[in-house]
Amino acid sequence: MAAKQGLPTLALRVLEEALGMGLTAARDTAEAVAAEGAYYLEQVTVTEASEDDYEYEEIPDDNFSIPEGEEDLAKAIQMVQEQATDTQILEQKTVLPSKQPVPEVIEDFLCNFLIKMGMTRTLDCFQSEWYELIQKGLTELRDLGNVPDVYTQNMLLENENKNLKKDLKHYKQAADKAREDLLKTQKERDFHRMHHKRIVQEKNKLINDLKGLKLHYASYEPTIRVLHEKHHTLLKQKMLTSLERDRAVGQISGLQATLKNMEMGHNYHASEIRVVPKREKENALEGPTQKGLREAREKNKSNTKIKDNTKDSEFPTDMQPNPNLYLYKENICPAKVDYKLNNIFRLHELPVSCIIMHPCKDILISCGEDRLWKVVGLPKGNVLLTGFGHTDWLSDCCFHPSGNKLATSSGDTTVKLWDLSKGNCILTFEGHNHAVWSCTWHSCGDFVASSSLDTTSKIWDVNSERCRCTLYGHVDSVNSIEFFPGSNTLLTGSADKTLSVWDARTGNCEQSLYGHMHSVNDATFTPRGHMIASCDACGVIKLWDFRKLLPIVSIDVGPSPGNEVNFDSSEIAPMNN
């Protein structure tokens, strides 16, 4: 809309309101409007001028200097004082008087209200009619006054109330969401708590079952021992029955021979007098049948005696002195030894199963799964001798007490004896039904003992070249066997988790040691013979007091299996392999 001649004054008033410089009193405003006449509002867009097109006014330099020749002390002092005064004025804080808020007039309040509500048509009608009334002089502005503060305060309160309602709505939504999350968390907590209780119950049940199984297992130990004793008793009865059977077979053979001679018409006369108990008739004559039976029995007995006593070796009756008994002194604090790799010998194409050192010389024997054993010189590692003969892998080897013979055991179910001076096989023992795991020499050098997968152990006589005794008692594979130093006592370790001590002369099991929970892979005596060390398939090593036959200590070096165990020279601790 076009504005009238009072437009500059109106623009100035609008600018003052926008800048907050204050409004004139309502009465002055009415007089000015009446003097200037009627006017209309015009929407003006003020554009910000670009700084690039603005021409800056040059400011003269205030730091002028006094020309030479015109220097004056009084003027210089005055100039310094003026500069100090200017500095103090600049440093002082300029406090502007606070502006008193000017209450809003009624027409401005109505216009602002309509603009705020977006009622533009009503605003145009109100302005047209309002300013027309003012121009005609029908309305006196001084009588209208200002907008009461209560209305302004009400509007502020309404705006604040709306904002609070929005915040309240937002907080309610957040509270609802938090309530849902809380319920979800409580459900998850209850679920996990219930699951935890169920797990605890299952754990307690498993613990009780485990305790019951341990008690059940412990209750089997006496039963197993009783069964072992019964088994030994049955074996003895079987041996007695076999002897009685052989005796009966001899009697039958004699009777058959007697009948045959009687049929041929030969007459036998009694030439000897048989000694009978007192209850029988003394000096009774033998008949042909009794005489033939007695002669056949004596003949078979004499043949058996000649055959048995031809080359059989006798077990030592007395305990031989142990040469290692006084060679080792117990060291309470053994010195720590740092073992370092010195050399590597490439001897076999397949894995190595056994290595032993010669008792007197600097040589070692290695056995492998390539069916060979080799004599290796130390420290160079040169192969001095190679042994051929086994048809399957080698499991163990052992030196003769003199060191000039070697015994080897193999998966081909045989035990072979070798002459180390020539490298030839001098004897082969056959009798096991499955692979032979271990072999050992008696300290006298006349017997070799072997243990096998067929759950038995055998004692072989080197002179008569036959099996003198078979040891029955283990219910699983017998993995190791060793003679007690200088005695006829044997120690065996089996996959049935037990160790057994045997008398080689009678073949009886003197004692069984229980304690391992897994298959026993190896067992050995100390050089002095007062302790036993054993290792099982889970890497558990046990030390036993051989005099009391009780466990001393258990060492777990697992989870890898312990394949072999031995004592070092101090006999303080066993070494596991």
Side-chain angles (χ1 to χ4, degrees), residues 448-464:
V448 175
S450 61
S451 60
S452 172
L453 181 63
D454 60 7
T455 73
T456 65
S457 300
K458 292 182 180 292
I459 301 175
W460 309 90
D461 192 329
V462 179
N463 295 324
S464 61

Side-chain angles (χ1 to χ4, degrees), residues 160-210:
E160 186 176 358
N161 191 13
K162 289 181 180 179
N163 295 331
L164 291 176
K165 287 183 178 179
K166 290 182 181 178
D167 294 340
L168 179 61
K169 184 178 180 181
H170 176 71
Y171 291 148
K172 284 184 178 180
Q173 293 177 355
D176 294 338
K177 185 176 180 182
R179 188 180 296 105
E180 294 177 358
D181 294 339
L182 178 61
L183 293 175
K184 183 178 179 182
T185 305
Q186 289 177 349
K187 291 180 180 178
E188 293 179 355
R189 181 201 61 188
D190 296 338
F191 172 77
H192 289 298
R193 184 178 296 171
M194 182 178 62
H195 184 66
H196 176 70
K197 289 182 180 179
R198 184 171 66 252
I199 294 297
V200 170
Q201 292 176 357
E202 292 178 357
K203 177 185 174 182
N204 295 332
K205 182 180 178 182
L206 290 176
I207 291 174
N208 294 330
D209 293 343
L210 184 61

Side-chain angles (χ1 to χ4, degrees), residues 217-325:
Y217 176 76
S219 65
Y220 273 119
E221 294 293 340
T223 306
I224 293 174
R225 293 183 183 180
V226 173
L227 291 177
H228 282 171
E229 294 177 358
K230 290 183 179 180
H231 179 68
H232 294 322
T233 304
L234 290 175
L235 289 176
K236 292 180 181 178
Q237 293 178 359
K238 180 181 177 182
M239 293 176 64
L240 294 175
T241 305
S242 299
L243 293 175
E244 292 178 358
R245 183 193 63 186
D246 296 339
R247 189 180 296 113
V249 170
Q251 292 177 358
I252 292 173
S253 299
L255 290 173
Q256 289 178 353
T258 303
L259 291 175
K260 186 176 180 181
N261 292 331
M262 291 178 63
E263 289 176 358
M264 293 177 63
H266 295 284
N267 294 324
Y268 291 89
H269 301 281
S271 58
E272 297 181 357
I273 298 175
R274 182 171 61 92
V275 178
V276 296
K278 292 182 179 181
R279 65 178 177 269
E280 296 182 4
K281 190 180 292 183
E282 296 183 358
N283 299 328
L285 298 177
E286 286 184 341
T289 303
Q290 289 82 2
K291 183 178 179 181
L293 181 61
R294 180 178 55 80
E295 289 180 353
R297 187 184 300 114
E298 291 179 355
K299 184 177 180 180
N300 291 334
K301 187 182 296 184
S302 62
N303 292 335
T304 304
K305 185 176 181 180
I306 293 173
K307 183 177 179 181
D308 290 343
N309 298 330
T310 301
K311 293 183 180 180
D312 275 353
S313 303
E314 294 293 336
F315 282 99
T317 56
D318 298 331
M319 187 74 175
Q320 299 179 4
N322 186 359
N324 299 319
L325 187 59

Side-chain angles (χ1 to χ4, degrees), residues 276-445:
V276 296
K278 292 182 179 181
R279 65 178 177 269
E280 296 182 4
K281 190 180 292 183
E282 296 183 358
N283 299 328
L285 298 177
E286 286 184 341
T289 303
Q290 289 82 2
K291 183 178 179 181
L293 181 61
R294 180 178 55 80
E295 289 180 353
R297 187 184 300 114
E298 291 179 355
K299 184 177 180 180
N300 291 334
K301 187 182 296 184
S302 62
N303 292 335
T304 304
K305 185 176 181 180
I306 293 173
K307 183 177 179 181
D308 290 343
N309 298 330
T310 301
K311 293 183 180 180
D312 275 353
S313 303
E314 294 293 336
F315 282 99
T317 56
D318 298 331
M319 187 74 175
Q320 299 179 4
N322 186 359
N324 299 319
L325 187 59
Y326 302 103
L327 295 180
Y328 296 89
K329 295 182 179 180
E330 186 172 357
N331 187 6
I332 303 301
C333 298
K336 295 183 179 180
V337 179
D338 294 331
Y339 294 98
K340 297 181 180 180
L341 179 63
N342 187 21
N343 204 345
I344 298 177
F345 303 144
R346 304 291 182 182
L347 302 175
H348 298 273
E349 296 179 357
L350 295 177
V352 178
S353 57
C354 176
I355 293 179
I356 59 171
M357 296 293 298
H358 195 277
C360 303
K361 301 178 182 179
D362 291 335
I363 61 175
L364 61 84
I365 303 291
S366 67
C367 302
E369 295 186 4
D370 54 2
R371 309 176 185 178
L372 304 177
W373 59 268
K374 295 184 179 182
V375 181
V376 183
L378 298 177
K380 296 182 179 180
N382 51 326
V383 179
L384 305 178
L385 186 63
T386 302
F388 303 87
H390 283 289
T391 59
D392 209 336
W393 45 268
L394 273 71
S395 58
D396 195 14
C397 60
C398 183
F399 276 111
H400 189 272
S402 64
N404 56 7
K405 294 179 183 178
L406 182 71
T408 58
S409 58
S410 171
D412 58 8
T413 72
T414 64
V415 177
K416 290 182 179 292
L417 305 184
W418 307 81
D419 186 357
L420 292 180
S421 61
K422 299 179 181 179
N424 297 331
C425 179
I426 57 177
L427 189 59
T428 300
F429 294 121
E430 298 179 353
H432 285 291
N433 297 325
H434 292 88
V436 183
W437 289 120
S438 180
C439 61
T440 181
W441 283 91
H442 193 283
S443 57
C444 68

